[in-house]
Amino acid sequence: MLVSTHDAGKDNVMTISWTMVMDFSPLFAITTGAWNYSYHALRHHRECVLAIPTVDMLDTVVGIGTCSGLDTDKFSRFALTRAPARHVAAPLIQDCLANIECKVVDIIEKHDIVVLQGLAAYFDTERKEQRMLHAVGDGTFIVDGRRMDRRKMMAAKLPPGV
């Protein structure tokens, strides 16, 4: 997962390996802390964009995660295409399969968890590559892409509109 932020007139992007959907509402959690250059922007501006890359972006995702926005313009270095967001100052990453504009609703410092509420979501239906990456945590990744629909089976448990 990529997370874009905006602070002091500058866009930044970081790689996050731990994310979680919290329930059927648009609540997400990521883990990051003061060791990460983007953390200040998350604490100060309380907003970001979650950008979901695909398998063809693997080297870009790893590259972004192995340098710092403190001394690197990652959008330029990795030739990422910015797109304006509607609700936050952080940019969407047009190269990604999906983007979710978010506001920070809680920071649980004891566990370095940032809780985000999704404000708007965008999905690139024209993108040919749609297999997403999942970091294992040891430098390896799992790739998915097969969709299996069980909405009818789960209808009684799903909130309206899902």
Side-chain angles (χ1 to χ4, degrees), residues 25-92:
S25 67
L27 286 177
F28 307 93
I30 63 173
T31 185
T32 188
W35 66 86
N36 194 309
Y37 180 71
S38 295
Y39 185 69
H40 172 77
L42 287 168
R43 281 190 65 82
H44 182 70
H45 298 288
R46 303 193 68 82
E47 62 182 32
C48 66
V49 171
L50 297 178
I52 301 169
T54 50
V55 66
D56 57 327
M57 295 180 69
L58 177 58
D59 291 343
T60 298
V61 169
V62 172
I64 289 167
T66 57
C67 64
S68 175
L70 180 63
D71 55 19
T72 304
D73 177 347
K74 296 183 193 183
F75 277 87
S76 294
R77 179 171 177 185
F78 297 100
L80 296 173
T81 308
R82 293 173 177 92
R86 293 185 182 137
H87 305 283
V88 300
L92 306 177

Side-chain angles (χ1 to χ4, degrees), residues 51-138:
I52 301 169
T54 50
V55 66
D56 57 327
M57 295 180 69
L58 177 58
D59 291 343
T60 298
V61 169
V62 172
I64 289 167
T66 57
C67 64
S68 175
L70 180 63
D71 55 19
T72 304
D73 177 347
K74 296 183 193 183
F75 277 87
S76 294
R77 179 171 177 185
F78 297 100
L80 296 173
T81 308
R82 293 173 177 92
R86 293 185 182 137
H87 305 283
V88 300
L92 306 177
I93 302 175
Q94 194 169 337
D95 313 274
C96 288
L97 176 64
N99 286 268
I100 306 168
E101 295 182 49
C102 297
K103 70 177 180 177
V104 174
V105 294
D106 197 5
I107 296 177
I108 306 164
E109 291 186 28
K110 178 180 178 181
H111 301 289
D112 299 315
I113 294 173
V114 179
V115 180
L116 306 167
Q117 179 181 7
L119 304 174
Y122 312 91
F123 184 82
D124 184 353
T125 58
E126 302 298 315
R127 198 165 202 291
K128 289 181 183 179
E129 181 59 75
Q130 295 191 1
R131 293 175 296 158
M132 295 176 279
L133 301 166
H134 302 279
V136 175
D138 62 356

